[in-house]
């Protein structure tokens, strides 16, 4: 049947779904020790960026090769992300611990959250694709967020929709566990590929 031929849309969809499922499995498994989550996320981005360009090859092999190559960069980025996230969490905790919390704490928490988002949203994909310093990844991420604010806002909308669909009911939650994190990384990677190619073409 033509429906299941190698070049049919259905076959390509099912193959991509299987790739995402495999990628999500290794992403979750390699993130379980927590400290390795940064390397796991960076490795997942490395594979997803190739998937977005249809250059991924073998998912498992590509993932562990990227995991090994990006261990240091991914771990440092993850530690920075976690420390900053915890500080922001404490800020909001203090604010909400008061019946009428200081407005300055709320404003600080919101601004810090935005700053952290801008600093890391494109940092992990960069670490997966380019050789650079951690400081430069973070600086570039902020600059990309501002320069490509339209694509960044589109990215936020798409990921938000994906998250809302993921928690819609028990069935969607089940599928979100199976493929959710990898789907989000794949979505971000699709936009990152376009951004990176545009930046590279102008250099």
């Amino acid at each position: 049947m033509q429906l299941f031929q190698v070049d049919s849309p259905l076959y390509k969809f099912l193959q991509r779904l299987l790739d995402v499922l495999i990628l999500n499995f290794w992403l979750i498994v390699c993130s379980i020790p927590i400290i390795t989550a940064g390397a796991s996320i960076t490795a997942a981005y490395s594979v997803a960026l190739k998937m977005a360009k249809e250059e991924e090859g073998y998912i498992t092999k590509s993932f562990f090769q990227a995991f090994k190559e990006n261990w240091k960069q991914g771990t440092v980025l993850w530690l920075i992300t976690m420390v900053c996230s915890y500080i922001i969490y404490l800020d909001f905790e203090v604010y909400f611990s008061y019946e009428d919390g200081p407005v300055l704490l709320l404003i600080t928490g919101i601004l810090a959250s935005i700053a952290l988002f801008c600093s890391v949203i494109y940092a992990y994909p960069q670490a997966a694709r380019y050789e650079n310093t951690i400081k430069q990844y973070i600086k570039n991420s902020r600059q990309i967020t501002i320069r490509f604010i339209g694509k960044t806002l589109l990215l936020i909308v798409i990921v938000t929709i994906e998250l809302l669909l993921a928690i819609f009911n028990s069935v969607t939650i089940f599928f979100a566990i199976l493929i959710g994190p990898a789907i989000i990384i794949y979505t971000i990677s699709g936009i990152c590929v376009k951004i990176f190619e545009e930046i590279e073409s102008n250099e």
Side-chain angles (χ1 to χ4, degrees):
M1 293 178 64
Q2 290 185 347
L3 190 63
F4 293 101
Q5 287 183 343
V6 176
D7 59 347
S8 70
L10 177 59
Y11 182 89
K12 290 181 179 179
F13 171 77
L14 292 176
Q15 182 61 53
R16 180 58 76 223
L17 185 62
L18 178 61
D19 290 342
V20 171
L21 183 63
I22 295 171
L23 179 60
N24 194 72
F25 174 79
W26 291 123
L27 170 62
I28 292 175
V29 168
C30 293
S31 295
I32 290 175
I34 305 300
I35 190 66
T36 60
S40 182
I41 291 169
T42 307
Y45 269 114
S46 179
V47 176
L49 287 167
K50 292 175 183 176
M51 287 171 62
K53 298 177 68 177
E54 300 186 353
E55 300 174 349
E56 67 274 12
Y58 295 103
I59 302 299
T60 299
K61 181 179 178 180
S62 297
F63 178 88
F64 282 102
Q65 182 178 348
F67 186 92
K68 182 180 179 180
E69 292 173 353
N70 297 293
W71 164 263
K72 181 179 178 181
Q73 301 285 57
T75 301
V76 174
L77 271 174
W78 176 249
L79 291 175
I80 292 172
T81 303
M82 288 298 96
V83 169
C84 292
S85 298
Y86 186 65
I87 292 172
I88 293 171
Y89 165 77
L90 290 178
D91 178 273
F92 283 114
E93 274 289 295
V94 173
Y95 172 76
F96 288 111
S97 65
Y98 294 95
E99 186 174 338
D100 187 15
V103 177
L104 182 60
L105 278 178
L106 178 61
I107 295 173
T108 300
I110 293 173
L111 292 178
S113 299
I114 295 172
L116 179 60
F117 171 83
C118 295
S119 298
V120 301
I121 185 62
Y122 297 111
Y124 289 95
Q126 283 182 82
R129 185 177 174 112
Y130 306 106
E131 288 288 337
N132 219 325
T133 63
I134 298 297
K135 181 179 179 181
Q136 198 61 47
Y137 288 140
I138 294 172
K139 180 181 178 181
N140 289 345
S141 182
R142 293 171 183 166
Q143 292 176 342
I144 292 171
T145 302
I146 296 171
R147 178 178 172 183
F148 296 92
I149 187 65
K151 285 185 172 65
T152 301
L153 291 175
L154 174 63
L155 177 61
I156 292 172
V157 170
I158 295 173
V159 171
T160 300
I161 292 172
E162 289 175 345
L163 290 172
L164 290 175
L165 289 174
I167 60 173
F168 184 71
N169 56 38
S170 57
V171 176
T172 59
I173 290 174
F174 172 74
F175 281 104
I177 295 171
L178 285 179
I179 61 173
I183 283 287
I184 291 175
I185 286 178
Y186 183 48
T187 300
I188 296 173
S189 296
I191 292 179
C192 283
V193 164
K194 297 182 184 300
I195 290 175
F196 292 162
E197 288 179 345
E198 184 174 337
I199 292 173
E200 291 167 6
S201 66
N202 292 328
E203 288 182 349

